[in-house]
Amino acid sequence: MNIVNRVTLKTLKKNRTRTIVTVIGVLLSVAMITAVTTFISSMQQTMVNAEILSNGPWHASLDGIPYSAAQKEQTNPRLEKTGIRHGVGYAALEDPLNESKPYLYVEEMDAPAMELYGLRVVSGRLPQAAGEVVVAEHLSENGGMQVAVGDVLTLEIGDRYMTGQEEEGPLGQINGYWPEEVPETLKVRESRTYTVVGIIERPDFENYSAPGYTLVAWLDPAVLSADDPVILPFIAKNAGEAVGLSQSLLEENGLAETAASSLHGDLLDFMGVGDNENFNAVLYNMGAVLIVLIMIGSVSLIYNAFAISVSERFKQFGMLAGIGATSRQIRNSVLFEACFISGIGIPLGLLSGVGGIGLTLYLLRDVLSSFLNSTADFRFVFSVSVPAVVIAALVGFFTVLVSAWIPSRRAARVSPIEAIRMTGEIRIKRRQVKTSRLTRRLFGIEGDLAMKNFKRNRRRYRATVFSLVISIVLFLSASSFTSYMSEGVNSVYSVSNYDLVVGMNSFQEEDRDAVVGAVAGLEEVEDWSVVKCAAGNVCLPADCINPDYLVSQEEGAAPGVSLNEDGTAWLNYYVYGISEEAFRAYLRELGLDEETYTASDSPRGIVLDQQVYYDRAGHLAVSRLFTSLPQEEITLHDSTYDYDTGESSGLESGEVSEAALTLSAVADKAPLGVEAYQSRTDIFSILLPEQTFDALFGRFPDSSRLEDMLSIKAADAAAAETAIKAALQDRGYAGISPINLQEALQTNRNLILVINVFSYGFIALITLITITNVFNTISTNVNLRRREFAMLKSVGMTGGGFNRMINFECLFYGLKALLYGLPLSLLFTYWIHRSMDLGVSLHFRIPWLQVLICVLGVFLIVFITMMYAMSKVRRENIVDALKNENL
């Protein structure tokens, strides 16, 4: 080690505080980059594993191709693994519980296909020979057909056809069962006998609208003819080619017009090779935001640390140059310092990043696993990507070298005479430090001295202001990032405000109040509300409606609102009647007058206006239907109202078809038992107290009335469910059970929790970097001015005057930093908004609360840091300080 590097090490040892702060800066930078890359790697691998566990590892499939073409593609070198799936047909289900699923649907698969689709066995085993079959478990729960392992099923199998249109071909699982709109016929063609060897979870390829419960039988390829249509699922050797490969295979076989292809979209998206442009755009843009924020904070902190180091050692460099040190040796001494700092900070940063994210993921493992997969043996994967760690180390080292390079060049150009005399650091003329008379009049001699110091030490002043500006930008950008991320997740994964629901139409009218009272009185029930509902149509002035909705029926836009020739528009509505006590509590929460909305002589409703829907481009839109509420009373029609004749059909004695009320307020928050938004653009919700609802809509026809629901909120939904079942059984309603929504809701709640944990953790780390940056810059600048402060004391400046000067400096630092920092932060906030807006429609807003916190925080951090640094200066002897050389 040469003498120059030894001097560098001694200097680092002497200035322990600055050295430690710089190491912490490098550590935090590398730790954040490592944590981000490790978390992304872990999350990606976990989501891939969860999707494979749920729905199998297949990448894509060729649907409806001849068996001869499937045999040919099974030897294709571009395909790693293939399977064969063949639809046999439908069998009628006797006495189905679910009217929309009256069939059993038999499919045959070979062993590779069962593996590719990830069939999950609940009990028994998968088929291994001809005549063996497995049954989906929801057949008994949802369909009412009790099947056990070992049962023998004899099925009359045939094909579904639209009545009178047999020439159009048979219907499949993608064609729902709508006998009233599309009459159909089942034509039986054969009888088959199967032995049930296992029960499986509902397979992913059975859509919820599919008319048949899936039975998977063993496929014997020998019984297939060359022309039999089959499905060929496959795993591509190169996953990145899977999106285009399926279609190209169809074209190669001349089947592009007669067959189709399917993609395992979620799996390919999680692997980063999918065709979801919005998903990838949001992912890459948000990743770019994170990396830019971390790099800005890191470069700012580390650059300032080395710039300050060079300033402290400026006279030292001059002395070294005076005794023969070359410019290259001096430059290398700064780079040696950078390498030494990196040698400590980067390994610690890698360990801290991996360890910190590992500990966080371990503590959240159950929460993370719950929203990714419901399988009991599934666990979140902690995946440390070696390339990601290497990249984090290289990026950290590159950041340190870039941060040290500019100061090292400046140090290499030092002139020995200038450095020893310290004339290079401060070169000023009288005009450059001249201040206005207004400054002295407003702030006194102390304020004037503070302003002259800024003009005299422009480099240090700008470095401090730059650090503060970066801190403001980082904090507000990180806050906006987490805010938009949380809002986007809440939009996609909405969480209902109740945990259990009981349908009330099953109870006798005279028993309802007793049932509600019994359920509401249970210890396990935290809150409850009875919600009644009716639906229908209403005609409103078009000028009340969001113009985007009126034109949104154009090609490429989401379904919108039909505009009539007379300047009105027809809308659909849901009106909810809330139990009296719950509705009054809701009014108090909104700050609305209770008597105004509960008076029966002038019915008034509250509009719940928020639509969340996917447009045709796959973009999640969050918008409002109304620009203003109608000023006059409106007439709500029942769902059978005919727009042309102006009449309702099918009304029976005593029924009414319309109701009049006034819409007086708009709310964003829903009461207990009501969903906060609608998933269609032409529907809105109206909230009324139960008494008003009964008076206006109690005699609407049954076709317009939805089932009354008892919505329940409980901390432990399982315990509440058991207690409610017992309470209902005691009153003779043993067959009625509450629907437990908590498990599904908990998935979304856990996802929101995870987003918040990582978001606020990111804010905490960014805030720590910014505070470290400001502390390092200001405290070191104060330390370099010890001779200046001692000189002011020696000429008679009092302690009070000294404090006022320092306070004015703090004030000027803060104001200048806010002047530049706030506009830059808004630009970053808008960039983050635009990145999120690629996937989820969000309103741009200025984060006023965070701005206020930032303004107060800037002054607080500056004052505290300045006071800390000055506490050391005050204790210093004036003579010793005047002799200080900053070596």
Side-chain angles (χ1 to χ4, degrees), residues 205-240:
F205 50 79
E206 182 190 308
N207 296 323
Y208 281 89
S209 60
Y213 297 94
T214 302
L215 279 67
V216 178
W218 174 264
L219 173 65
D220 182 4
V223 303
L224 294 177
S225 66
D227 296 329
D228 281 341
V230 298
I231 296 175
L232 180 79
F234 64 83
I235 296 177
K237 282 192 175 179
N238 184 352

Short mmCIF file of all heavy atoms in Angstrom, two decimals, residues 205-240:
data_model
loop_
_atom_site.label_atom_id
_atom_site.label_comp_id
_atom_site.label_asym_id
_atom_site.label_seq_id
_atom_site.Cartn_x
_atom_site.Cartn_y
_atom_site.Cartn_z
N PHE A 205 -60.20 -25.23 -15.79
CA PHE A 205 -60.77 -25.12 -17.14
C PHE A 205 -62.29 -25.23 -17.14
O PHE A 205 -62.91 -25.08 -18.19
CB PHE A 205 -60.16 -26.16 -18.09
CG PHE A 205 -60.16 -27.57 -17.57
CD1 PHE A 205 -61.31 -28.34 -17.61
CD2 PHE A 205 -59.00 -28.13 -17.04
CE1 PHE A 205 -61.31 -29.65 -17.14
CE2 PHE A 205 -59.00 -29.43 -16.56
CZ PHE A 205 -60.14 -30.20 -16.61
N GLU A 206 -62.92 -25.51 -15.99
CA GLU A 206 -64.38 -25.48 -15.92
C GLU A 206 -64.83 -24.08 -15.49
O GLU A 206 -64.70 -23.71 -14.33
CB GLU A 206 -64.91 -26.51 -14.94
CG GLU A 206 -66.45 -26.53 -14.87
CD GLU A 206 -66.98 -27.37 -13.74
OE1 GLU A 206 -66.58 -28.54 -13.63
OE2 GLU A 206 -67.80 -26.85 -12.94
N ASN A 207 -65.31 -23.30 -16.42
CA ASN A 207 -65.76 -21.95 -16.11
C ASN A 207 -66.97 -22.00 -15.18
O ASN A 207 -67.73 -22.99 -15.15
CB ASN A 207 -66.14 -21.19 -17.38
CG ASN A 207 -64.96 -20.99 -18.30
OD1 ASN A 207 -63.85 -20.77 -17.83
ND2 ASN A 207 -65.18 -21.07 -19.60
N TYR A 208 -67.17 -20.92 -14.44
CA TYR A 208 -68.30 -20.88 -13.52
C TYR A 208 -69.64 -20.83 -14.27
O TYR A 208 -70.66 -21.18 -13.72
CB TYR A 208 -68.18 -19.68 -12.57
CG TYR A 208 -67.21 -19.93 -11.45
CD1 TYR A 208 -65.86 -19.62 -11.61
CD2 TYR A 208 -67.60 -20.51 -10.26
CE1 TYR A 208 -64.95 -19.86 -10.59
CE2 TYR A 208 -66.70 -20.76 -9.24
CZ TYR A 208 -65.38 -20.43 -9.41
OH TYR A 208 -64.48 -20.68 -8.40
N SER A 209 -69.59 -20.40 -15.54
CA SER A 209 -70.82 -20.38 -16.33
C SER A 209 -71.02 -21.67 -17.12
O SER A 209 -72.01 -21.81 -17.84
CB SER A 209 -70.78 -19.20 -17.30
OG SER A 209 -69.67 -19.31 -18.18
N ALA A 210 -70.07 -22.62 -16.98
CA ALA A 210 -70.19 -23.89 -17.71
C ALA A 210 -71.42 -24.65 -17.24
O ALA A 210 -71.70 -24.71 -16.04
CB ALA A 210 -68.93 -24.72 -17.52
N PRO A 211 -72.17 -25.28 -18.16
CA PRO A 211 -73.41 -25.96 -17.78
C PRO A 211 -73.20 -27.36 -17.21
O PRO A 211 -74.17 -27.96 -16.72
CB PRO A 211 -74.17 -26.03 -19.09
CG PRO A 211 -73.10 -26.10 -20.13
CD PRO A 211 -71.97 -25.26 -19.62
N GLY A 212 -71.96 -27.88 -17.27
CA GLY A 212 -71.74 -29.26 -16.82
C GLY A 212 -70.66 -29.36 -15.76
O GLY A 212 -69.64 -28.67 -15.84
N TYR A 213 -70.90 -30.24 -14.77
CA TYR A 213 -69.89 -30.54 -13.77
C TYR A 213 -68.89 -31.51 -14.38
O TYR A 213 -69.27 -32.53 -14.97
CB TYR A 213 -70.53 -31.16 -12.53
CG TYR A 213 -71.48 -30.24 -11.81
CD1 TYR A 213 -72.85 -30.27 -12.10
CD2 TYR A 213 -71.03 -29.34 -10.86
CE1 TYR A 213 -73.74 -29.43 -11.45
CE2 TYR A 213 -71.91 -28.49 -10.20
CZ TYR A 213 -73.27 -28.53 -10.49
OH TYR A 213 -74.13 -27.70 -9.85
N THR A 214 -67.60 -31.22 -14.23
CA THR A 214 -66.56 -31.98 -14.92
C THR A 214 -66.28 -33.33 -14.25
O THR A 214 -66.09 -33.40 -13.03
CB THR A 214 -65.26 -31.17 -14.98
OG1 THR A 214 -65.51 -29.93 -15.66
CG2 THR A 214 -64.17 -31.93 -15.72
N LEU A 215 -66.25 -34.37 -15.06
CA LEU A 215 -65.76 -35.69 -14.67
C LEU A 215 -64.59 -36.01 -15.60
O LEU A 215 -64.73 -35.92 -16.83
CB LEU A 215 -66.84 -36.77 -14.83
CG LEU A 215 -67.89 -36.92 -13.71
CD1 LEU A 215 -68.79 -35.70 -13.65
CD2 LEU A 215 -68.71 -38.18 -13.95
N VAL A 216 -63.43 -36.34 -15.04
CA VAL A 216 -62.25 -36.63 -15.84
C VAL A 216 -62.00 -38.13 -15.85
O VAL A 216 -61.80 -38.73 -14.79
CB VAL A 216 -61.01 -35.88 -15.30
CG1 VAL A 216 -59.78 -36.24 -16.14
CG2 VAL A 216 -61.24 -34.38 -15.33
N ALA A 217 -62.02 -38.71 -17.04
CA ALA A 217 -61.83 -40.14 -17.20
C ALA A 217 -60.47 -40.41 -17.86
O ALA A 217 -59.85 -39.52 -18.44
CB ALA A 217 -62.95 -40.75 -18.04
N TRP A 218 -60.03 -41.67 -17.74
CA TRP A 218 -58.77 -42.09 -18.38
C TRP A 218 -58.94 -42.15 -19.89
O TRP A 218 -59.94 -42.64 -20.40
CB TRP A 218 -58.34 -43.44 -17.85
CG TRP A 218 -57.14 -44.02 -18.54
CD1 TRP A 218 -57.14 -44.91 -19.57
CD2 TRP A 218 -55.78 -43.71 -18.26
NE1 TRP A 218 -55.86 -45.21 -19.95
CE2 TRP A 218 -54.98 -44.47 -19.16
CE3 TRP A 218 -55.13 -42.89 -17.34
CZ2 TRP A 218 -53.60 -44.42 -19.17
CZ3 TRP A 218 -53.75 -42.84 -17.34
CH2 TRP A 218 -53.00 -43.59 -18.25
N LEU A 219 -57.96 -41.61 -20.60
CA LEU A 219 -58.01 -41.61 -22.06
C LEU A 219 -57.17 -42.76 -22.62
O LEU A 219 -55.98 -42.88 -22.31
CB LEU A 219 -57.48 -40.29 -22.61
CG LEU A 219 -57.31 -40.22 -24.14
CD1 LEU A 219 -58.67 -40.34 -24.84
CD2 LEU A 219 -56.61 -38.94 -24.55
N ASP A 220 -57.79 -43.56 -23.43
CA ASP A 220 -57.09 -44.61 -24.16
C ASP A 220 -56.92 -44.12 -25.60
O ASP A 220 -57.89 -44.09 -26.37
CB ASP A 220 -57.89 -45.92 -24.14
CG ASP A 220 -57.17 -47.05 -24.86
OD1 ASP A 220 -56.02 -46.83 -25.31
OD2 ASP A 220 -57.75 -48.14 -24.98
N PRO A 221 -55.71 -43.68 -25.99
CA PRO A 221 -55.52 -43.12 -27.34
C PRO A 221 -55.91 -44.08 -28.45
O PRO A 221 -56.24 -43.64 -29.56
CB PRO A 221 -54.01 -42.81 -27.38
CG PRO A 221 -53.60 -42.73 -25.95
CD PRO A 221 -54.47 -43.70 -25.21
N ALA A 222 -55.91 -45.37 -28.17
CA ALA A 222 -56.20 -46.35 -29.22
C ALA A 222 -57.62 -46.23 -29.73
O ALA A 222 -57.92 -46.63 -30.86
CB ALA A 222 -55.94 -47.76 -28.70
N VAL A 223 -58.53 -45.67 -28.91
CA VAL A 223 -59.93 -45.60 -29.33
C VAL A 223 -60.21 -44.34 -30.13
O VAL A 223 -61.32 -44.15 -30.66
CB VAL A 223 -60.87 -45.66 -28.10
CG1 VAL A 223 -60.62 -46.92 -27.30
CG2 VAL A 223 -60.71 -44.42 -27.23
N LEU A 224 -59.23 -43.44 -30.24
CA LEU A 224 -59.44 -42.20 -30.98
C LEU A 224 -59.16 -42.42 -32.47
O LEU A 224 -58.19 -43.09 -32.85
CB LEU A 224 -58.53 -41.10 -30.45
CG LEU A 224 -58.79 -40.60 -29.01
CD1 LEU A 224 -57.74 -39.58 -28.61
CD2 LEU A 224 -60.18 -40.01 -28.88
N SER A 225 -59.98 -41.82 -33.29
CA SER A 225 -59.74 -41.84 -34.74
C SER A 225 -58.93 -40.62 -35.13
O SER A 225 -58.78 -39.68 -34.35
CB SER A 225 -61.07 -41.84 -35.50
OG SER A 225 -61.77 -40.62 -35.29
N ALA A 226 -58.42 -40.61 -36.34
CA ALA A 226 -57.55 -39.52 -36.79
C ALA A 226 -58.27 -38.19 -36.80
O ALA A 226 -57.65 -37.13 -36.62
CB ALA A 226 -57.00 -39.84 -38.18
N ASP A 227 -59.61 -38.20 -37.02
CA ASP A 227 -60.35 -36.95 -37.15
C ASP A 227 -61.00 -36.49 -35.85
O ASP A 227 -61.62 -35.42 -35.82
CB ASP A 227 -61.44 -37.10 -38.23
CG ASP A 227 -60.85 -37.34 -39.60
OD1 ASP A 227 -59.73 -36.82 -39.86
OD2 ASP A 227 -61.49 -38.03 -40.41
N ASP A 228 -60.92 -37.26 -34.78
CA ASP A 228 -61.54 -36.86 -33.52
C ASP A 228 -60.92 -35.55 -33.02
O ASP A 228 -59.69 -35.41 -32.96
CB ASP A 228 -61.36 -37.94 -32.46
CG ASP A 228 -62.34 -39.09 -32.62
OD1 ASP A 228 -63.37 -38.87 -33.30
OD2 ASP A 228 -62.10 -40.18 -32.08
N PRO A 229 -61.76 -34.59 -32.66
CA PRO A 229 -61.21 -33.32 -32.15
C PRO A 229 -60.67 -33.49 -30.74
O PRO A 229 -61.30 -34.08 -29.87
CB PRO A 229 -62.42 -32.38 -32.17
CG PRO A 229 -63.61 -33.28 -32.04
CD PRO A 229 -63.24 -34.57 -32.72
N VAL A 230 -59.49 -32.99 -30.51
CA VAL A 230 -58.86 -33.07 -29.19
C VAL A 230 -58.25 -31.71 -28.84
O VAL A 230 -58.15 -30.80 -29.67
CB VAL A 230 -57.76 -34.15 -29.14
CG1 VAL A 230 -58.34 -35.53 -29.42
CG2 VAL A 230 -56.62 -33.83 -30.12
N ILE A 231 -57.83 -31.61 -27.59
CA ILE A 231 -57.10 -30.44 -27.12
C ILE A 231 -55.69 -30.89 -26.77
O ILE A 231 -55.50 -31.91 -26.10
CB ILE A 231 -57.77 -29.80 -25.89
CG1 ILE A 231 -59.15 -29.26 -26.28
CG2 ILE A 231 -56.91 -28.69 -25.29
CD1 ILE A 231 -59.95 -28.72 -25.09
N LEU A 232 -54.69 -30.15 -27.25
CA LEU A 232 -53.29 -30.49 -27.02
C LEU A 232 -52.65 -29.42 -26.13
O LEU A 232 -52.19 -28.40 -26.63
CB LEU A 232 -52.53 -30.60 -28.34
CG LEU A 232 -51.04 -30.95 -28.23
CD1 LEU A 232 -50.86 -32.44 -28.00
CD2 LEU A 232 -50.27 -30.52 -29.47
N PRO A 233 -52.62 -29.62 -24.80
CA PRO A 233 -51.87 -28.69 -23.94
C PRO A 233 -50.38 -28.98 -24.05
O PRO A 233 -49.99 -30.14 -24.23
CB PRO A 233 -52.41 -29.00 -22.55
CG PRO A 233 -52.82 -30.43 -22.61
CD PRO A 233 -53.30 -30.68 -24.02
N PHE A 234 -49.55 -27.94 -23.93
CA PHE A 234 -48.12 -28.19 -24.05
C PHE A 234 -47.31 -27.18 -23.23
O PHE A 234 -47.80 -26.11 -22.86
CB PHE A 234 -47.67 -28.13 -25.51
CG PHE A 234 -47.82 -26.79 -26.18
CD1 PHE A 234 -46.86 -25.79 -26.02
CD2 PHE A 234 -48.93 -26.51 -26.97
CE1 PHE A 234 -46.99 -24.56 -26.62
CE2 PHE A 234 -49.07 -25.27 -27.59
CZ PHE A 234 -48.10 -24.29 -27.41
N ILE A 235 -46.07 -27.60 -22.93
CA ILE A 235 -45.06 -26.72 -22.36
C ILE A 235 -44.02 -26.48 -23.43
O ILE A 235 -43.45 -27.43 -23.98
CB ILE A 235 -44.40 -27.34 -21.11
CG1 ILE A 235 -45.42 -27.53 -19.99
CG2 ILE A 235 -43.25 -26.45 -20.61
CD1 ILE A 235 -44.86 -28.21 -18.75
N ALA A 236 -43.78 -25.22 -23.77
CA ALA A 236 -42.78 -24.90 -24.79
C ALA A 236 -41.38 -24.99 -24.19
O ALA A 236 -41.18 -24.66 -23.01
CB ALA A 236 -43.03 -23.51 -25.35
N LYS A 237 -40.42 -25.42 -24.99
CA LYS A 237 -39.04 -25.47 -24.50
C LYS A 237 -38.54 -24.08 -24.16
O LYS A 237 -37.80 -23.88 -23.20
CB LYS A 237 -38.14 -26.13 -25.54
CG LYS A 237 -38.27 -27.65 -25.57
CD LYS A 237 -37.17 -28.29 -26.39
CE LYS A 237 -37.26 -29.82 -26.29
NZ LYS A 237 -36.22 -30.49 -27.10
N ASN A 238 -38.97 -23.11 -24.95
CA ASN A 238 -38.65 -21.71 -24.68
C ASN A 238 -39.94 -21.00 -24.32
O ASN A 238 -40.78 -20.75 -25.18
CB ASN A 238 -37.99 -21.05 -25.89
CG ASN A 238 -37.54 -19.62 -25.61
OD1 ASN A 238 -37.86 -19.05 -24.57
ND2 ASN A 238 -36.80 -19.05 -26.54
N ALA A 239 -40.13 -20.69 -23.01
CA ALA A 239 -41.39 -20.10 -22.57
C ALA A 239 -41.67 -18.78 -23.26
O ALA A 239 -42.83 -18.40 -23.48
CB ALA A 239 -41.37 -19.90 -21.05
N GLY A 240 -40.61 -18.05 -23.63
CA GLY A 240 -40.81 -16.77 -24.30
C GLY A 240 -41.47 -16.90 -25.65
O GLY A 240 -42.03 -15.92 -26.17
#
